[in-house]
């Protein structure tokens, strides 16, 4: 699951983002960061965070809508009400996520960790991730320097959550 950073509370995880209205009866498109994308609807109750406002929402129905899913939320019955939610982060409490398996990690847990290469040279800190069609890319920041490193097994050598460090097969000049 490719959860995003930026939760409203330390125990919240961003699982998607509300997009444009879908039709005229209050449905919204949702960009899901879960795998499979429709997994986000299974959480049933969401916390929506947008422009400093927080509200809870219950998923009543969902259906596929191209690469996204379309969702009907309780209390959202018009296109205008749906439009007001555009851009909201969809969050759930971390305790509701399934446990990870061996050598599996939620991307959310990697944000903020120090990144080094095999020789221990610093590459920056994990600022976030970009989902690309082939694979996610880690965004590493060291001051004004930004590095985009493919998040694939040949590049991500080790994850040490206890030490707060990721090790990449990556040269600092790349």
């Amino acid at each position: 699951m490719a959860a995003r950073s930026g939760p409203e509370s330390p125990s919240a995880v961003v699982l998607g983002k509300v997009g444009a209205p879908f039709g005229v009866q209050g449905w919204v498109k949702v960009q899901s960061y879960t795998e499979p994308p429709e997994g986000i609807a299974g959480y049933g109750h969401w916390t929506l965070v947008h422009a400093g406002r927080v509200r809870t929402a219950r998923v009543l129905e969902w259906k596929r809508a191209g690469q996204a899913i379309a969702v009907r939320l309780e209390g959202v019955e018009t296109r205008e009400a749906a439009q007001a939610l555009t851009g909201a982060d969809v969050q759930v409490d971390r305790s509701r996520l399934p446990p990870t398996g061996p050598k599996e990690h939620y991307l959310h847990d990697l944000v903020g960790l120090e990144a080094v290469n095999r020789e221990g040279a610093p590459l920056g800190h994990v600022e976030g991730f970009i989902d690309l069609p082939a694979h996610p890319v880690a965004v590493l920041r060291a001051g004004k320097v930004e590095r985009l490193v493919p998040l694939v097994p040949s590049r991500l050598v080790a994850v040490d959550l206890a030490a707060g460090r990721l090790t990449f097969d990556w040269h600092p000049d790349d």
Side-chain angles (χ1 to χ4, degrees):
M1 177 180 301
R4 297 290 192 276
S5 63
E8 181 64 23
S9 73
S11 64
V13 176
V14 178
L15 295 185
K17 183 172 282 299
V18 176
F22 184 76
V24 296
Q25 297 179 337
W27 288 66
V28 293
K29 277 192 173 183
V30 176
Q31 178 188 5
S32 174
Y33 306 144
T34 67
E35 188 59 44
E38 57 271 13
I40 194 171
Y43 287 94
H45 286 83
W46 298 344
T47 299
L48 300 177
V49 179
H50 183 55
R53 288 186 272 162
V54 179
R55 74 175 271 186
T56 58
R58 186 167 71 95
V59 176
L60 299 177
E61 302 180 69
W62 70 272
K63 59 186 169 187
R64 292 290 284 164
Q67 298 291 70
I69 63 170
V71 178
R72 187 168 70 90
L73 300 169
E74 185 175 57
V76 181
E77 299 172 4
T78 66
R79 183 174 180 80
E80 292 74 24
Q83 180 69 41
L85 298 176
T86 300
D89 283 331
V90 177
Q91 300 180 359
V92 299
D93 191 86
R94 172 63 192 251
S95 65
R96 296 178 59 202
L97 299 178
T100 57
K103 296 192 176 188
E104 289 183 338
H105 306 280
Y106 286 112
L107 295 182
H108 171 81
D109 294 335
L110 306 181
V111 173
L113 297 185
E114 172 191 20
V116 298
N117 71 5
R118 287 181 181 271
E119 293 75 35
L123 299 173
H125 285 84
V126 179
E127 188 172 82
F129 300 91
I130 301 171
D131 286 324
L132 297 178
H135 51 75
V137 173
V139 179
L140 308 180
R141 178 152 319 272
K144 293 183 179 181
V145 176
E146 179 180 85
R147 292 182 176 86
L148 302 178
V149 180
L151 203 59
V152 295
S154 62
R155 293 294 182 188
L156 181 59
V157 177
V159 176
D160 187 342
L161 291 177
R165 183 175 34 253
L166 301 181
T167 303
F168 287 96
D169 185 4
W170 198 257
H171 191 276
D173 294 334
D174 290 344

